[in-house]
Coordinates of all heavy atoms in Angstrom, one line a residue:
D401 N -4.1 -126.5 -162.7 CA -5.2 -127.2 -163.2 C -6.1 -127.6 -162.0 O -7.4 -127.6 -162.1 CB -4.8 -128.5 -163.9 CG -5.9 -129.2 -164.6 OD1 -6.7 -128.5 -165.3 OD2 -6.1 -130.4 -164.5
A402 N -5.5 -128.0 -160.9 CA -6.3 -128.4 -159.7 C -7.1 -127.1 -159.2 O -8.2 -127.2 -158.8 CB -5.4 -128.9 -158.6
I403 N -6.4 -126.0 -159.2 CA -7.1 -124.8 -158.7 C -8.3 -124.4 -159.6 O -9.4 -124.1 -159.2 CB -6.1 -123.6 -158.6 CG1 -5.1 -123.9 -157.5 CG2 -6.8 -122.3 -158.3 CD1 -3.9 -122.8 -157.5
A404 N -8.0 -124.5 -161.0 CA -9.0 -124.2 -162.0 C -10.2 -125.1 -161.8 O -11.4 -124.7 -161.8 CB -8.5 -124.3 -163.4
V405 N -10.0 -126.4 -161.6 CA -11.1 -127.4 -161.4 C -11.8 -127.1 -160.1 O -13.1 -127.1 -160.1 CB -10.5 -128.8 -161.4 CG1 -11.6 -129.8 -160.9 CG2 -10.0 -129.2 -162.7
G406 N -11.1 -126.7 -159.1 CA -11.8 -126.3 -157.9 C -12.7 -125.1 -158.1 O -13.9 -125.1 -157.6
I407 N -12.2 -124.1 -158.8 CA -13.1 -122.9 -159.1 C -14.3 -123.2 -159.9 O -15.4 -122.8 -159.6 CB -12.2 -121.8 -159.7 CG1 -11.1 -121.3 -158.8 CG2 -13.0 -120.7 -160.3 CD1 -10.1 -120.4 -159.4
F408 N -14.0 -124.0 -161.0 CA -15.2 -124.3 -161.9 C -16.2 -125.3 -161.3 O -17.4 -125.2 -161.5 CB -14.6 -124.9 -163.2 CG -13.7 -124.0 -164.0 CD1 -12.7 -124.5 -164.7 CD2 -13.9 -122.6 -164.0 CE1 -11.8 -123.7 -165.5 CE2 -13.1 -121.8 -164.7 CZ -12.1 -122.3 -165.4
S409 N -15.7 -126.2 -160.4 CA -16.6 -127.1 -159.7 C -17.4 -126.3 -158.7 O -18.7 -126.5 -158.6 CB -15.8 -128.1 -158.9 OG -15.0 -128.9 -159.8
T410 N -16.8 -125.3 -158.0 CA -17.6 -124.5 -157.1 C -18.7 -123.7 -157.8 O -19.8 -123.6 -157.4 CB -16.7 -123.5 -156.3 OG1 -15.7 -124.3 -155.7 CG2 -17.4 -122.7 -155.3
E411 N -18.3 -123.1 -159.0 CA -19.2 -122.4 -159.8 C -20.4 -123.3 -160.2 O -21.6 -122.9 -160.1 CB -18.6 -121.8 -161.0 CG -19.5 -121.0 -161.9 CD -19.1 -121.0 -163.4 OE1 -18.2 -121.7 -163.7 OE2 -19.7 -120.3 -164.2
Y412 N -20.1 -124.5 -160.7 CA -21.1 -125.4 -161.1 C -22.1 -125.8 -160.0 O -23.3 -125.7 -160.2 CB -20.5 -126.7 -161.6 CG -21.4 -127.8 -162.1 CD1 -22.1 -127.6 -163.3 CD2 -21.6 -128.9 -161.3 CE1 -23.0 -128.6 -163.7 CE2 -22.5 -129.9 -161.8 CZ -23.2 -129.7 -162.9 OH -24.1 -130.7 -163.4
L413 N -21.5 -126.1 -158.8 CA -22.4 -126.4 -157.7 C -23.2 -125.2 -157.2 O -24.4 -125.4 -156.8 CB -21.5 -126.9 -156.5 CG -20.8 -128.2 -156.7 CD1 -19.9 -128.5 -155.6 CD2 -21.8 -129.4 -156.9
M414 N -22.7 -124.0 -157.3 CA -23.4 -122.8 -157.0 C -24.6 -122.6 -157.9 O -25.7 -122.2 -157.5 CB -22.5 -121.6 -157.0 CG -21.5 -121.5 -155.9 SD -20.3 -120.2 -156.1 CE -21.3 -118.7 -155.9
R415 N -24.4 -122.9 -159.2 CA -25.5 -122.7 -160.2 C -26.6 -123.8 -159.9 O -27.8 -123.5 -160.0 CB -25.0 -122.8 -161.6 CG -24.1 -121.6 -161.9 CD -23.7 -121.6 -163.4 NE -22.7 -120.5 -163.7 CZ -23.1 -119.3 -164.0 NH1 -24.4 -118.9 -163.9 NH2 -22.2 -118.3 -164.2
I416 N -26.2 -125.0 -159.7 CA -27.2 -126.1 -159.5 C -27.9 -125.8 -158.1 O -29.1 -126.0 -158.1 CB -26.5 -127.5 -159.4 CG1 -25.8 -127.8 -160.8 CG2 -27.5 -128.5 -159.1 CD1 -26.8 -127.8 -162.0
Y417 N -27.2 -125.4 -157.1 CA -27.8 -125.2 -155.8 C -28.9 -124.1 -155.8 O -29.9 -124.2 -155.3 CB -26.7 -124.9 -154.8 CG -27.3 -124.3 -153.5 CD1 -27.9 -125.1 -152.6 CD2 -27.1 -123.0 -153.1 CE1 -28.4 -124.6 -151.4 CE2 -27.6 -122.5 -151.9 CZ -28.2 -123.3 -151.1 OH -28.7 -122.8 -149.9
S418 N -28.5 -123.0 -156.5 CA -29.4 -121.8 -156.6 C -30.5 -121.9 -157.7 O -31.3 -120.9 -157.8 CB -28.6 -120.6 -156.7 OG -27.9 -120.5 -157.9
A419 N -30.5 -122.9 -158.5 CA -31.4 -123.0 -159.6 C -32.9 -122.8 -159.3 O -33.6 -122.2 -160.0 CB -31.2 -124.4 -160.4
P420 N -33.4 -123.4 -158.1 CA -34.8 -123.2 -157.8 C -35.2 -121.8 -157.6 O -36.4 -121.5 -157.6 CB -34.9 -124.0 -156.5 CG -33.9 -125.0 -156.6 CD -32.7 -124.4 -157.2
E421 N -34.3 -120.8 -157.5 CA -34.7 -119.4 -157.4 C -35.2 -118.9 -158.7 O -35.9 -117.9 -158.8 CB -33.5 -118.6 -157.0 CG -33.0 -118.8 -155.6 CD -34.0 -118.4 -154.5 OE1 -34.9 -117.6 -154.8 OE2 -34.0 -119.0 -153.4
D422 N -34.9 -119.6 -159.8 CA -35.4 -119.3 -161.1 C -36.8 -119.9 -161.3 O -36.9 -121.1 -161.1 CB -34.5 -119.8 -162.2 CG -34.8 -119.3 -163.6 OD1 -36.0 -119.0 -163.9 OD2 -33.9 -119.2 -164.5
P423 N -37.8 -119.1 -161.6 CA -39.2 -119.7 -161.8 C -39.3 -120.9 -162.7 O -40.1 -121.8 -162.6 CB -40.0 -118.5 -162.3 CG -39.3 -117.3 -161.8 CD -37.8 -117.7 -161.9
A424 N -38.4 -121.0 -163.7 CA -38.4 -122.1 -164.7 C -37.9 -123.4 -164.0 O -38.1 -124.5 -164.6 CB -37.5 -121.7 -165.9
Y425 N -37.2 -123.3 -162.9 CA -36.6 -124.5 -162.2 C -37.0 -124.5 -160.8 O -36.2 -124.7 -159.9 CB -35.1 -124.5 -162.4 CG -34.6 -124.3 -163.8 CD1 -34.0 -123.0 -164.1 CD2 -34.7 -125.2 -164.8 CE1 -33.6 -122.8 -165.4 CE2 -34.3 -124.9 -166.1 CZ -33.7 -123.7 -166.4 OH -33.3 -123.5 -167.6
K426 N -38.3 -124.3 -160.5 CA -38.8 -124.1 -159.2 C -38.7 -125.3 -158.2 O -38.4 -125.1 -157.0 CB -40.3 -123.6 -159.2 CG -40.7 -122.8 -158.0 CD -40.0 -121.5 -158.0 CE -40.5 -120.6 -156.8 NZ -39.8 -119.4 -156.6
T427 N -39.0 -126.5 -158.7 CA -39.0 -127.7 -157.8 C -37.7 -128.0 -157.3 O -36.6 -127.8 -158.0 CB -39.7 -128.9 -158.6 OG1 -38.9 -129.1 -159.8 CG2 -41.1 -128.6 -158.9
W428 N -37.7 -128.7 -156.1 CA -36.4 -128.9 -155.4 C -35.5 -129.8 -156.2 O -34.3 -129.5 -156.4 CB -36.7 -129.5 -154.1 CG -35.5 -129.9 -153.3 CD1 -34.8 -129.0 -152.5 CD2 -34.8 -131.1 -153.2 NE1 -33.7 -129.6 -151.9 CE2 -33.7 -131.0 -152.3 CE3 -35.0 -132.4 -153.7 CZ2 -32.8 -132.0 -152.0 CZ3 -34.2 -133.4 -153.5 CH2 -33.1 -133.2 -152.6
F429 N -36.0 -131.0 -156.7 CA -35.2 -132.0 -157.4 C -35.2 -131.9 -158.9 O -34.2 -131.7 -159.6 CB -35.5 -133.4 -157.0 CG -34.7 -134.5 -157.6 CD1 -33.4 -134.7 -157.3 CD2 -35.3 -135.2 -158.7 CE1 -32.7 -135.7 -157.9 CE2 -34.6 -136.2 -159.3 CZ -33.3 -136.4 -158.9
M430 N -36.4 -131.9 -159.5 CA -36.6 -131.9 -160.9 C -36.1 -130.5 -161.5 O -35.6 -130.5 -162.6 CB -38.1 -132.1 -161.3 CG -38.5 -133.5 -161.0 SD -37.5 -134.8 -161.8 CE -37.7 -134.4 -163.5
G431 N -36.3 -129.4 -160.7 CA -35.8 -128.1 -161.2 C -34.3 -128.1 -161.4 O -33.8 -127.7 -162.4
R432 N -33.6 -128.7 -160.4 CA -32.2 -128.7 -160.5 C -31.7 -129.7 -161.6 O -30.8 -129.4 -162.3 CB -31.6 -129.2 -159.2 CG -31.7 -128.1 -158.0 CD -30.9 -128.5 -156.8 NE -30.8 -127.5 -155.8 CZ -31.6 -127.3 -154.8 NH1 -32.5 -128.2 -154.6 NH2 -31.4 -126.3 -154.0

């Protein structure tokens, strides 16, 4: 469970971090 949470947490942070690359979420804070 700890490993799974680590993997899913990393995936979640990767998606939030890279969100501004999508034109629909362009701004630094509000986009994320």
Side-chain angles (χ1 to χ4, degrees):
D401 190 49
I403 295 173
V405 169
I407 291 172
F408 298 147
S409 300
T410 303
E411 181 210 6
Y412 178 74
L413 293 175
M414 289 170 69
R415 292 187 184 279
I416 297 298
Y417 167 71
S418 62
E421 293 295 335
D422 190 331
Y425 312 107
K426 201 69 179 174
T427 55
W428 179 83
F429 178 75
M430 291 305 298
R432 289 189 171 98

